[in-house]
Structures are given as structure tokens and as C-alpha cells.
Amino acid sequence: MPGRLRQTTPRTANAIDPIRTFTAVSRTVKETGLLRRSHGFYLTLGIALALALGGAITGFVLFGASWYQLLIAGGLGIVLTQAAFLGHEASHRQVLASGPANDRLGRLIVTLGVGMSYQWWMTKHTRHHANPNRVGRDPDIEIDTVAFTAESAATQRGLLAWITRRQGCLFYPLLLLEGLNLHAHSLRSLVRRGRVEGRWFELGMLALRWTVYLGALFWVLPLGMAFAFLGVQLAVFGFYMGSSFAVNHTGMPIIPADAKLDFFTKQVRTSRNIAGGWWASALLGGLNYQVEHHLFPNMARPHLARAREIVREYCATHEIPYTEMSLARAHAAVVRHMHEVGRAAVDPFTCPLVASYRRA
């Protein structure tokens, strides 16, 4: 039934070695031709994004000093998020034939286009793919403004503890600030001490990008309207980006730091697919096939749907849980998880239930 959690049911009581299972899945995927590039798709996508950006720029010029500019700001936030999805795919070597060519494309899109540091994104995202939802190894579940594990929630103090206690309700509103957070993390990563690959190149591209962007805003628009435009664009970008990535793993099993799991089981059990087919793929930039993306990170977006059928079949046969649900239910699972984790930040002296929970 659409909208309900879909988890495979075992067809046999005799589960086999998951390592051999993944080897068999990989062989089937390769023989089916699902690892080939899809240059036509990405060329079309790139042209569509360029036209959308051109349309936003044209609208910006035509509207002039009008509050209709906020519509352009929202549209630009969506276009930049879609560009970030494309940059993400280039970073995974999905778009072009060679690794260096993909890196050049990804750096151009992410740094000059979106305004984020490509090297920071690559470092963080590579660590996430290696150990999704593993405590101490996945940077995506490290404590920030909100907490993703009960242990980290219990360490929050002051204002952060107040936010964490209410993070189930505040999580999505806080994503309106995620755009600022991503830009800030990018800049900090480039100015930190020590060796940073491509530091000056990326700083130069970011300086160029922000100079042109902010210069156009404050040249064309009145001061208050320019700040409003920037605020709306960053809010839409942050919310769209944050909510798209949140449904991938938040609320899925957390792996203890010392747990022993094979690659196939680890990736499948910690990832969540979003039902919906082509529209979900367009909305989420292919992230709706998160299980298959984690198993085959260099697979082009158009082939993920077919890979899903193969992976689901193997998971059903070999007793490996496979999770897929509607987008609405996925967001509900995110909120539920954030609420449950946030309870750990409640003072145990004022909440006996939490005190007993901690002792357990």
C-alpha cells in the first residue's frame, strides 16, 4: 500500500554469507550494464539547470526593486540545491568518464556555483559513506546544534540543551538556517591551520562567486530588499538541502563504534529509500535510492531504479532488512527520532522517566 513502510520478508530460513551476497549482487549489476555512464541524462540535466539559472537571472533583472524578487530568491534556492545534487553526483564519479574530470566539474559546480567548499564536502561525505550512522566515525551524526544520539544529547548544556530538548519540533525550522551553516563550515575548513587541498583555488572561486552575487543584490535592490532576498534564498536552499539528506539515514539504526558488520549489511540496514519513482528521484536528486547509492556510489542516477529491483530481491532472499517508505512517513520518522533523542537532554532530576531510562 502506498505510504506504508516496506520491509522485505525473508523467503528462506537459511541466510548465506552477506559478503558472497554482495559479490553476487555486484556481478549482476555489472552484467546488466548498470555501471555505465549516462552522458545524455547529465547533459540534459546540466542544460536544464543552466536554463533555470538563466531564467532566475532574467527575472531578477526584469523585476528590479520589487518584492516579487522574493519569488526569484526562492526559485534560486531550489536551482542551487539541484546544482548541489549534480555536484554530489560528480563527486561520486557518476557523471563523466574519469575521476579528475568529475572532480573538476564537481569543484566548479559546488564551489563557484553553490558557494561551498568542494574539498570540505568530499572529506566529510567520504567518511559518511564509509561508516554511515556509526558512532564516532560518521560526521553526519556528530553533535552540532542538534543531537543524533542519546549519548550526545545528554552532554548538551545551556541554550543547546534547551534546543535539544525540543529538537523534535525545532529540527525542520532549524533547517532554514542550514544554508548559513553549510557556508560557514565551508569557509572554516578553508582557513583552518594545516594543509588544505586546493585552499587558495577554492577561496578564490568563493570570493569571486560572493562578490558577483552580493554585488548584484546590493547594486540592484534597496538595502532591506537585498537582505530579504539573501535570507529567503539561503533559507530555501538550507531547508531543501537539509530535508533531502535527513530522510536518508536519520531514524535508521545507529551502529556502535565497536560493532562488526560487513559492507553490504552495514549499508543496507542504515539507509532508507523513498518511494515515488521518477518524481522522487527528480525532487531528491536520486537520493531516494539511498540503499543502492551507498552500495554503488558511482552508479549514474538513471540506473538506480533498476538496481533497486536487484538489491531488494537479494535482501528478501538472504534475510537482510530493506527499508523503503513514502516521503511523508520518512519525515515523520525523522521527527520521531529527533524527539526521542532530545529526551536524553532533559535534566534527570526533573524527569524521573528519563532518569530511569538513563540508568537502564
Side-chain angles (χ1 to χ4, degrees):
M1 179 181 297
R4 296 189 62 184
L5 174 66
R6 301 175 188 173
Q7 184 167 313
T8 57
T9 53
R11 297 184 180 181
T12 176
N14 300 315
I16 67 169
D17 184 355
I19 297 178
R20 294 183 180 179
T21 298
F22 182 58
T23 301
V25 170
S26 299
R27 185 186 307 114
T28 302
V29 164
K30 185 175 181 180
E31 292 174 351
T32 311
L34 298 181
L35 295 180
R36 68 184 184 277
R37 294 292 176 261
S38 186
H39 299 302
F41 169 82
Y42 286 112
L43 178 61
T44 302
L45 178 60
I47 292 173
L49 288 176
L51 290 174
L53 179 60
I57 294 172
T58 301
F60 176 78
V61 173
L62 293 177
F63 279 138
S66 165
W67 285 106
Y68 284 112
Q69 289 284 11
L70 298 187
L71 298 176
I72 301 298
L76 183 59
I78 294 173
V79 171
L80 292 179
T81 304
Q82 286 287 333
F85 292 155
L86 180 57
H88 165 252
E89 290 170 287
S91 74
H92 280 294
R93 314 295 195 262
Q94 297 176 18
V95 181
L96 301 176
S98 73
N102 276 292
D103 276 334
R104 287 191 292 270
L105 177 62
R107 180 168 276 111
L108 183 67
I109 294 172
V110 172
T111 308
L112 187 60
V114 181
M116 291 167 50
S117 168
Y118 182 74
Q119 65 80 28
W120 168 74
W121 171 262
M122 282 289 289
T123 301
K124 176 178 180 291
H125 201 58
T126 299
R127 289 175 56 204
H128 161 71
H129 264 265
N131 289 283
N133 277 15
R134 183 184 287 270
V135 175
R137 297 192 184 183
D138 183 359
D140 285 1
I141 62 170
E142 291 177 358
I143 194 167
D144 196 354
T145 304
V146 297
F148 292 89
T149 65
E151 292 77 12
S152 60
T155 66
Q156 297 282 59
R157 296 292 181 269
L159 177 61
L160 290 180
W162 186 92
I163 292 174
T164 303
R165 288 195 295 270
R166 297 160 178 82
Q167 67 179 21
C169 297
L170 295 178
F171 180 71
Y172 281 98
L174 284 171
L175 288 183
L176 295 171
L177 300 175
E178 181 64 9
L180 280 173
N181 189 43
L182 291 172
H183 291 308
H185 276 298
S186 293
L187 184 59
R188 281 200 298 267
S189 74
L190 290 172
V191 299
R192 73 176 188 269
R193 293 183 178 181
R195 183 180 179 276
V196 178
E197 181 183 355
R199 183 202 304 267
W200 296 111
F201 181 73
E202 291 198 8
L203 282 174
M205 287 201 294
L206 287 176
L208 174 61
R209 190 254 189 195
W210 286 107
T211 298
V212 172
Y213 180 35
L214 297 180
L217 285 186
F218 290 96
W219 179 268
V220 173
L221 303 179
L223 186 63
M225 193 177 294
F227 276 114
F229 185 105
L230 183 62
V232 169
Q233 182 266 297
L234 288 173
V236 171
F237 170 70
F239 187 87
Y240 191 1
M241 278 280 286
S243 60
S244 296
F245 281 90
V247 294
N248 299 336
H249 302 281
T250 305
M252 297 301 291
I254 300 293
I255 303 176
D258 58 350
K260 304 291 185 183
L261 282 179
D262 65 276
F263 175 80
F264 185 83
T265 304
K266 173 176 62 178
Q267 300 295 346
V268 173
R269 290 196 174 189
T270 60
S271 301
R272 176 194 292 117
N273 274 16
I274 304 300
W278 67 268
W279 70 263
S281 189
L283 178 68
L284 301 175
L287 297 175
N288 53 310
Y289 298 114
Q290 192 66 199
V291 173
E292 291 70 33
H293 172 60
H294 265 256
L295 291 175
F296 308 101
N298 63 338
M299 181 179 289
R301 191 192 307 184
H303 305 318
L304 290 169
R306 177 70 182 93
R308 166 186 171 275
E309 299 175 7
I310 297 172
V311 174
R312 278 174 59 90
E313 177 69 22
Y314 274 89
C315 286
T317 302
H318 304 306
E319 302 180 335
I320 299 175
Y322 182 104
T323 301
E324 180 177 281
M325 61 179 67
S326 72
L327 184 60
R329 288 181 64 86
H331 284 304
V334 171
V335 171
R336 182 166 56 250
H337 173 76
M338 300 306 291
H339 172 70
E340 292 174 353
V341 168
R343 290 167 54 196
V346 177
D347 188 339
F349 295 103
T350 62
C351 184
L353 290 176
V354 174
S356 62
Y357 167 77
R358 286 183 181 180
R359 286 195 298 270

